[in-house]
Amino acid sequence: AALSPRTAAGPRPPLGERLLFAAAPPAAALLIRALRATLRLRVHGRETIEEYARNGTRYVHVFWHAHILMMVYSYVGPQLVFMISRSKDGELISRTVERFGYVLSRGSTTEGGAAAFRGMVRAVRGGSDIGFTPDGPRGPSRVVQPGCVAAARLLKAPIVPVAFAADRAWKLRSWDRFVVPKPGARALLAYGAPFVVGPDDDVDDAARRLGEEMAALERFAEERAGDRSVGRRA
């Protein structure tokens, strides 16, 4: 049940909200696909997860909340189970990314996280990879919360961070400075080296170190997004 985005008990949403949940996700998915078709997108460092997909290595896929728009194109593997909050925004995101083949585990560090975490553990043991926005759902922006690190340590799975950038993009005035690439932009998905959490590693310290690596990866993506010599066409 934890892997279903709409199983949480609660009162029936008002009509306007139900209409929003029904209409917005297909429209958003259509716009994402249309925007992706205009981008000159390249990938750098994706060989690691391509190899994981070939040999059956399970891993933890992480990226900043600000980069979620184009991250629906970042995953390679059999199936990604992604943790999304139980908020209204999380519901809209869930219904949108489901259209790209992802499975959702509803919960966050503040609500429903334990049940969602258990569902994700079962998913990995069943052959899926798991994904987090480690600074979501409400921030602080670009600060790694310990959930993804704890999951990686428990499952003995490497963490692979991913960053997105475009040479022309809007950054919204949201808490995370949400990134929307402009049509026709050159864009880059940059994959970091696997981040391994040892059984005796301190979770908070590992989260801090992962945050440093993700920040460096984001800087690299921003600096090289327009460089046609980096990576390969996606």
Side-chain angles (χ1 to χ4, degrees):
L3 299 184
S4 172
R6 289 179 287 280
T7 56
R12 185 177 175 82
L15 177 60
E17 193 171 296
R18 296 201 305 272
L19 290 174
L20 175 65
F21 288 159
L30 181 64
L31 289 172
I32 290 170
R33 289 188 171 100
L35 178 58
R36 165 64 185 94
T38 75
L39 298 180
R40 290 166 287 180
L41 180 65
R42 302 183 73 84
V43 294
H44 173 77
R46 195 156 79 178
E47 296 80 7
T48 295
I49 64 169
E50 291 170 342
E51 178 62 24
Y52 286 172
R54 286 191 293 269
N55 65 26
T57 299
R58 303 280 64 84
Y59 78 101
V60 183
H61 193 76
V62 299
F63 49 85
W64 295 135
H65 196 276
H67 298 168
I68 199 170
L69 187 67
M70 286 293 129
M71 284 295 175
V72 294
Y73 296 105
S74 67
Y75 175 66
V76 176
Q79 180 175 266
L80 184 68
V81 177
F82 201 84
M83 181 178 278
I84 295 285
S85 77
R86 292 182 176 180
S87 66
K88 291 180 182 179
D89 287 348
E91 182 72 16
L92 290 171
I93 292 171
S94 294
R95 295 186 183 217
T96 301
V97 301
E98 278 184 315
R99 295 170 181 273
F100 294 87
Y102 295 163
V103 176
L104 286 306
S105 186
R106 297 302 301 277
S108 68
T109 55
T110 57
E111 182 182 359
F117 186 83
R118 288 193 297 270
M120 297 180 90
V121 170
R122 289 194 298 271
V124 170
R125 290 174 177 166
S128 298
D129 299 307
I130 58 175
F132 293 83
T133 52
D135 59 341
R138 297 182 182 89
S141 176
R142 293 166 173 78
V143 175
V144 173
Q145 301 302 314
C148 66
V149 174
R153 186 174 69 175
L154 174 66
L155 296 165
K156 300 178 182 178
I159 299 172
V160 179
V162 192
F164 173 83
D167 62 355
R168 293 182 295 111
W170 294 287
K171 291 189 177 181
L172 306 187
R173 294 182 179 179
S174 55
W175 66 266
D176 58 351
R177 300 291 290 165
F178 194 81
V179 177
V180 180
K182 294 182 179 181
R186 295 188 183 279
L188 181 67
L189 282 168
Y191 298 74
F195 183 92
V196 177
V197 184
D200 298 322
D201 286 355
D202 179 77
V203 168
D204 290 330
D205 179 64
R208 177 191 58 78
R209 291 186 286 111
L210 176 61
E212 292 172 353
E213 294 200 12
M214 292 181 69
L217 188 64
E218 182 177 29
R219 288 193 298 270
F220 172 85
E222 289 177 340
E223 291 168 0
R224 308 299 292 273
D227 188 342
R228 286 177 285 183
S229 69
V230 173
R232 65 181 193 272
R233 287 292 297 268

